[in-house]
Amino acid sequence: MSKNEQPIGFIDSGVGGLTVLKEALKQLPNENVIYLGDNARCPYGPRPKEQILAFTWQLTKFLLEKNIKMLVIACNTATAVALDEIKEKLPIPVVGVILPGARAAVKATKTNKIGIIGTQGTIQSASYETALRLKVPEIQPFSLACPRFVPIVESNQVRSSVAKKIVAETLLPMQRAKVDTLILGCTHYPLLRPLIQSVMGEKVTLIDSGVETIGEVSMLLDYFDIAHLPVNHQPIREFYTTGSVDAFNQIARTWLEKPEINAKHIKIKGA
Ligand code: DGL
C-alpha cells in the first residue's frame, strides 16, 4: 500500500468525533478512514489529565497498528491534554481540533467577544483562551463547562425534551455574556447544534471545530503530497468502538446517513 492509500485515523472518547469524520467524508471522499471511539470509558471530560493521556495513547497505538498516514485527535479534551506529546513522538502528522476552531472564531468575531463551551477538562486547560489570546490579545473569551451535554449525545437523546431543558439551563450564563461567536469546543456538541443555536439566537455564529479541522487535514495532505487520488472502488470506512456496537451503530448510521455502517467491538486494556 502506498503512503497515499494508507488510511487517516480518527479517535474520540465516543461518538463525538463522528462530527469531524462527517466533514472528512464530505471534503475528502477519496480518503480511506478508520474511526475508533472509546465509548466504554466516555466521558473523558471529568477525568484526571494523566488518565486522559494514557487512554489517548492506547487509542493512538491501536490505529498505528492499522498503518495510518495521519492521526486526527477528534476530541477537544484529548487534544488539550495529549496533542503536544503525541505530535512530538509520532512520525506521521497529528492534528488536533482546538487550533482550527480558535482560528475560525477569530475570523468570525466582530466584537471580540468569543464564547467557548466544552468539557470540564477542556475548559480547565484554558487551551482555547490561550490560543485565542495568542492570536489577538484583545479577544475577551468567556468559557463555560457543559458536563451534562456529552451524556445526552452518547445516550442518543438529542431530540428529547430533557435535552432541550438541559441545554437551555446550562447556557444561561453564556446568553448573558453577549458573545457574537460561540465555539462548540467539544466534538459531541454539533449533534446538539439546533438546540444550542435556538438558545443562543440566530445572530450568534457557532463554530464547529471539527469542520475547521478537516480544512487543516486537507491542507496537510496536499502539503505532504499524501492525498488519496480518486479510485473506482469504495474507499475503506472502518469503525471500532470499545463500547456497545448497537448503540454506536445507531448514532453513526443516523448522523453520517450511512445505514451500512457496522462497527466492530474492540477490547482495550482497562476499557
Ligand atoms: N468529544 C470530546 C471532546 O471533544 C470529549 C467528550 C468527553 O468524553 O467528555 O472534548
Side-chain angles (χ1 to χ4, degrees), residues 12-17 41-46 74-78 97 118-120 122 150 154 184-189 209:
D12 180 48
S13 62
V15 293
R41 298 185 292 195
C42 190
Y44 279 13
C75 171
N76 290 265
T77 316
V97 282
T119 67
Q120 297 102 304
T122 302
V150 169
E154 285 287 319
L184 305 181
C186 170
T187 53
H188 281 73
Y189 297 177
S209 53

Side-chain angles (χ1 to χ4, degrees), residues 185-242:
C186 170
T187 53
H188 281 73
Y189 297 177
L191 284 135
L192 290 165
R193 188 180 184 124
L195 294 181
I196 296 172
Q197 188 79 67
S198 97
V199 171
M200 293 306 297
E202 288 304 319
K203 288 202 178 112
V204 174
T205 306
L206 300 187
I207 303 291
D208 180 336
S209 53
V211 171
E212 306 304 330
T213 300
I214 297 305
E216 182 163 323
V217 168
S218 183
M219 196 260 291
L220 287 172
L221 290 171
D222 293 339
Y223 183 81
F224 290 109
D225 207 5
I226 53 171
H228 198 313
L229 301 171
V231 280
N232 51 12
H233 55 82
Q234 184 60 29
I236 294 166
R237 271 94 179 85
E238 276 177 29
F239 295 85
Y240 296 90
T241 173
T242 59

Side-chain angles (χ1 to χ4, degrees), residues 94-169:
V94 182
V95 181
V97 282
I98 292 181
L99 279 176
R103 276 198 286 268
V106 166
K107 196 169 153 194
T109 186
K110 292 190 174 71
T111 61
N112 277 343
K113 289 191 171 198
I114 298 178
I116 303 134
I117 51 174
T119 67
Q120 297 102 304
T122 302
I123 298 303
Q124 272 160 23
S125 75
S127 301
Y128 273 106
E129 299 196 2
T130 309
L132 291 168
R133 286 211 175 105
L134 278 175
K135 299 248 173 256
V136 181
E138 291 75 29
I139 294 229
Q140 297 165 40
F142 182 82
S143 297
L144 181 69
C146 305
R148 293 200 289 168
F149 287 8
V150 169
I152 301 176
V153 176
E154 285 287 319
S155 58
N156 205 6
Q157 290 188 67
V158 293
R159 280 181 197 86
S160 66
S161 53
V162 181
K164 206 169 166 185
K165 189 166 171 280
I166 290 177
V167 171
E169 276 172 17

